[in-house]
Amino acid sequence: MSIVATYLSWALLVIGGLLCISGSVGLLRFPDFFTRMHAASVTDTLATGMILAGLMLQAPTWIVLAKLIMILVFVLLTGPTAGHALAKAALHSGLKPLLPGKSGVLEADTKPSGGV
Amino acid sequence: MFTAVTIAVLVAMALALFRAYAGPTLYDRILAVNVFGTKTVLLIAIVGFLMGRPEFLDIAMVYALMNFITVIGILRFFEYSSPGKSANSETVKD
Amino acid sequence: MESFVHVVIILMLVTTAIAIVRVKDLFAVTMLAGIYGLLSASFFVLMDAHDVAFTEAAVGAGISTLLVLTTLSMTGRFEKASVKPQADYRPVLALVLVTVTGALLIYGTQDMPGFGTADAPVQTHVVPRYLNDSATEIGIPNVVASILASYRGYDTFGEVVVIFTAGIGVLAMVMSNATKMPVVQTALMSDHVVLRIVSKMLIPLIMLFALYVQFHGEYGPGGGFQAGVIFASAFILYAMLFGLTAARNVVNHTLVQLLSALGVLLYGSVGVVAMINGGNFLDYNFLSDDPVAGQMLGILLVELGVGITVASVMIIIFFTFTARSQKEGEAD
């Protein structure tokens, strides 16, 4: 049991870590806001869930386990909600997703906003 | 193994930080901040296990909570900072 | 491995600081400052300063971001100063000044004891007393809480008074808006249905968590300051989603003002009761027949006073600012 749990935990942690990186690469490399949001929020939830589940399997005491479960519930509630609100706000404010074929031009949000 | 995951989370944080800096729209930045906050929660949880003191989890909980409230706050004040106008036009005067 | 994480986090802190200087959009700057708060809190966690990390997470990354955002909604979104540099704009002098000051400060650190050395003043002066005697004198496991609330009770009292004064200051500046209901503005974010429902589920959890932080502060990281901020953030979340008027129906403004004073009063009264019982001001040993029980009772009451004042002042500041910005928005 304990060996199975340990290997399962390692597997969950490694997959979670990979998802973390892939989601962030997507956040960095994808062409417009909505694709970035897709990359970030989908992997965010999954990676967080997997890493926290991996940690849960190694929790030394039940109180650590309970706290990890609470964090997981919290993240699973707030992450998608914040993502949904963000996408909705962006769409309402006139940010158009890039479409294949005729590439819709992104409405200039903040021309002098510094950055690149 | 915890080490590997810590490094993965740190890399993800660095990439999100770059997106928060680069923009280009404000929504990209909000998204990056949100991702960054989630990764910080993970970092605190993992580092607790890495250093053998998993009692840090209270702090991770505060992060998760404050991260959510901050994102809502940014949305709320950004969307409605210029009433009647498109929210991503520059607010010269209300 | 630990030092590797330290180095990476410090590098990210520096990067964030540079980004804050370079970005001109103040909303983005606020967000980057929030990231800075999260990063420095992670750093404090790595240094085992859990209580400080807790405070930084709640105050630095959370409530201060919200307060700055309310301010920005009143002022404007873009930095004006360096968009078009004037002819007499000379950054060289400032740069020289900053460089010289920085060099002097770095030179000054040469005389300081190395990080974590055993004979550093911080390790030899009062800390051994706190660490060795706190368990028998105060009887609570979290030494930080016993220092904050008991050994350094005067300082903490001063901090609470400062926070109370800040609340009074905000009220004094925008009093005319504060007492009346200035706007009948219902629910700005009414189209965010999912957000409202999830937040309704979360708000009780947040309050429960704040109470846990408040009363668990003697055993783990936490205490009155952090709990107050978390408690206030629940109300702020409600006010942001359901509008100020609805939030004012939940928490009566006069009541919050009374509560902010009540917290300070509670703290001071504990000190006065200790004096009446024959001790010094804030000497909790005299609160009960058993000194240790007296200490625990005193710390509990004092932390409660801190929590009440912090929570009410945060609510007052946020509500007052929001009311003012909404009124200005309507006036145009």
Side-chain angles (χ1 to χ4, degrees):
Chain A
M1 170 54 205
S2 70
I3 288 182
V4 176
T6 312
Y7 280 116
L8 191 60
S9 150
W10 291 145
L12 284 170
L13 284 175
V14 168
I15 298 173
L18 288 177
L19 280 173
C20 257
I21 294 186
S22 71
S24 296
V25 170
L27 178 69
L28 198 64
R29 298 281 303 155
F30 277 172
D32 78 331
F33 169 72
F34 292 96
T35 46
R36 279 177 211 139
M37 150 141 264
H38 166 77
S41 56
V42 172
T43 56
D44 219 32
T45 318
L46 189 59
T48 311
M50 292 189 102
I51 289 182
L52 287 179
L55 292 179
M56 273 175 214
L57 288 174
Q58 304 211 11
T61 56
W62 65 268
I63 196 144
V64 172
L65 179 69
K67 282 181 186 172
L68 281 172
I69 291 174
M70 272 186 68
I71 295 176
L72 183 61
V73 168
F74 228 94
V75 171
L76 286 185
L77 268 177
T78 57
T81 313
H84 166 83
L86 193 56
K88 190 167 177 167
L91 201 61
H92 277 213
S93 78
L95 206 60
K96 295 279 186 301
L98 283 176
L99 293 173
K102 39 157 195 169
S103 67
V105 183
L106 286 179
E107 208 163 289
D109 170 37
T110 57
K111 18 179 203 348
S113 78
V116 189
Chain B
M1 192 58 63
F2 288 135
T3 314
V5 184
T6 312
I7 293 173
V9 172
L10 283 173
V11 169
M13 282 166 82
L15 295 178
L17 183 59
F18 184 79
R19 178 50 74 196
Y21 169 62
T25 67
L26 198 81
Y27 294 106
D28 288 294
R29 297 183 205 268
I30 303 177
L31 180 65
V33 170
N34 196 10
V35 170
F36 195 91
T38 322
K39 294 296 180 288
T40 319
V41 174
L42 283 181
L43 183 75
I44 299 299
I46 296 166
V47 161
F49 277 83
L50 183 72
M51 307 199 319
R53 291 186 291 271
E55 290 82 22
F56 298 156
L57 291 169
D58 286 352
I59 300 173
M61 238 180 279
V62 179
Y63 277 41
L65 198 143
M66 281 301 171
N67 190 29
F68 178 67
I69 297 182
T70 311
V71 169
I72 303 304
I74 296 168
L75 275 183
R76 156 77 174 72
F77 288 108
F78 178 54
E79 254 190 310
Y80 301 102
S81 59
S82 52
K85 281 181 217 137
S86 163
N88 56 354
S89 68
E90 187 178 343
T91 36
V92 183
K93 189 179 177 298
D94 281 353
Chain C
M1 182 57 207
E2 247 176 76
S3 51
F4 170 74
V5 181
H6 286 193
V7 170
V8 172
I9 294 220
I10 289 180
L11 280 179
M12 282 204 263
L13 271 175
V14 173
T15 319
T16 318
I18 294 172
I20 289 176
V21 175
R22 291 186 54 89
V23 171
K24 295 284 181 285
D25 180 347
L26 291 178
F27 269 110
V29 169
T30 316
M31 274 178 261
L32 287 169
I35 286 188
Y36 193 89
L38 284 177
L39 274 172
S40 40
S42 321
F43 190 63
F44 294 144
V45 169
L46 290 169
M47 304 292 261
D48 274 346
H50 296 177
D51 288 82
V52 185
F54 219 106
T55 317
E56 178 65 32
V59 178
I63 204 107
S64 66
T65 314
L66 287 175
L67 292 181
V68 170
L69 283 170
T70 32
T71 317
L72 281 184
S73 68
M74 281 187 249
T75 53
R77 199 181 141 192
F78 289 97
E79 206 176 307
K80 294 244 163 55
S82 55
V83 171
K84 204 183 287 175
Q86 286 92 13
D88 57 345
Y89 180 60
R90 299 244 188 286
V92 183
L93 188 64
L95 186 67
V96 168
L97 192 67
V98 167
T99 315
V100 169
T101 316
L104 280 176
L105 285 175
I106 292 172
Y107 176 70
T109 59
Q110 301 295 315
D111 285 343
M112 288 174 72
F115 173 71
T117 47
D119 56 342
V122 66
Q123 324 278 21
T124 55
H125 183 43
V126 285
V127 168
R129 158 100 202 273
Y130 292 153
L131 289 180
N132 292 329
D133 300 343
S134 165
T136 48
E137 284 182 354
I138 316 285
I140 60 172
N142 186 356
V143 182
V144 177
S146 69
I147 293 174
L148 185 96
S150 181
Y151 289 118
R152 296 277 168 187
Y154 278 18
D155 300 0
T156 312
F157 190 46
E159 285 166 27
V160 178
V161 173
V162 165
I163 291 172
F164 179 60
T165 317
I168 295 180
V170 168
L171 279 181
M173 281 191 293
V174 275
M175 191 64 184
S176 58
N177 291 337
T179 43
K180 294 184 203 69
M181 304 239 177
V183 276
V184 192
Q185 186 136 30
T186 47
L188 280 168
M189 299 185 90
S190 53
D191 50 336
H192 287 288
V193 180
V194 177
L195 203 54
R196 299 178 103 191
I197 291 171
V198 172
S199 300
K200 264 188 183 170
M201 287 159 64
L202 283 178
I203 284 171
L205 284 179
I206 295 175
M207 289 179 172
L208 202 62
F209 183 62
L211 289 178
Y212 162 77
V213 172
Q214 169 83 49
F215 294 109
H216 197 255
E218 287 109 59
Y219 303 94
F225 287 99
Q226 295 93 330
V229 169
I230 296 172
F231 206 74
S233 67
F235 287 102
I236 291 176
L237 180 63
Y238 186 79
M240 286 192 303
L241 288 170
F242 296 91
L244 196 60
T245 318
R248 284 234 172 120
N249 287 337
V250 179
V251 279
N252 187 322
H253 203 273
T254 322
L255 180 72
V256 182
Q257 285 178 10
L258 276 178
L259 280 177
S260 72
L262 185 77
V264 182
L265 186 69
L266 181 62
Y267 201 134
S269 310
V270 172
V272 173
V273 169
M275 278 171 86
I276 291 173
N277 286 357
N280 288 322
F281 186 65
L282 291 175
D283 190 350
Y284 310 139
N285 282 348
F286 292 86
L287 289 180
S288 163
D289 294 334
D290 177 26
V292 174
Q295 288 283 353
M296 292 182 85
L297 178 68
I299 289 177
L300 187 75
L301 289 174
V302 159
E303 292 273 18
L304 188 63
V306 172
I308 292 174
T309 297
V310 170
S312 359
V313 168
M314 292 303 153
I315 293 174
I316 287 176
I317 293 179
F318 183 85
F319 280 15
T320 317
F321 276 18
T322 316
R324 186 179 167 87
S325 64
Q326 283 186 3
K327 187 166 194 178
E328 285 187 352
E330 289 223 328
D332 285 338

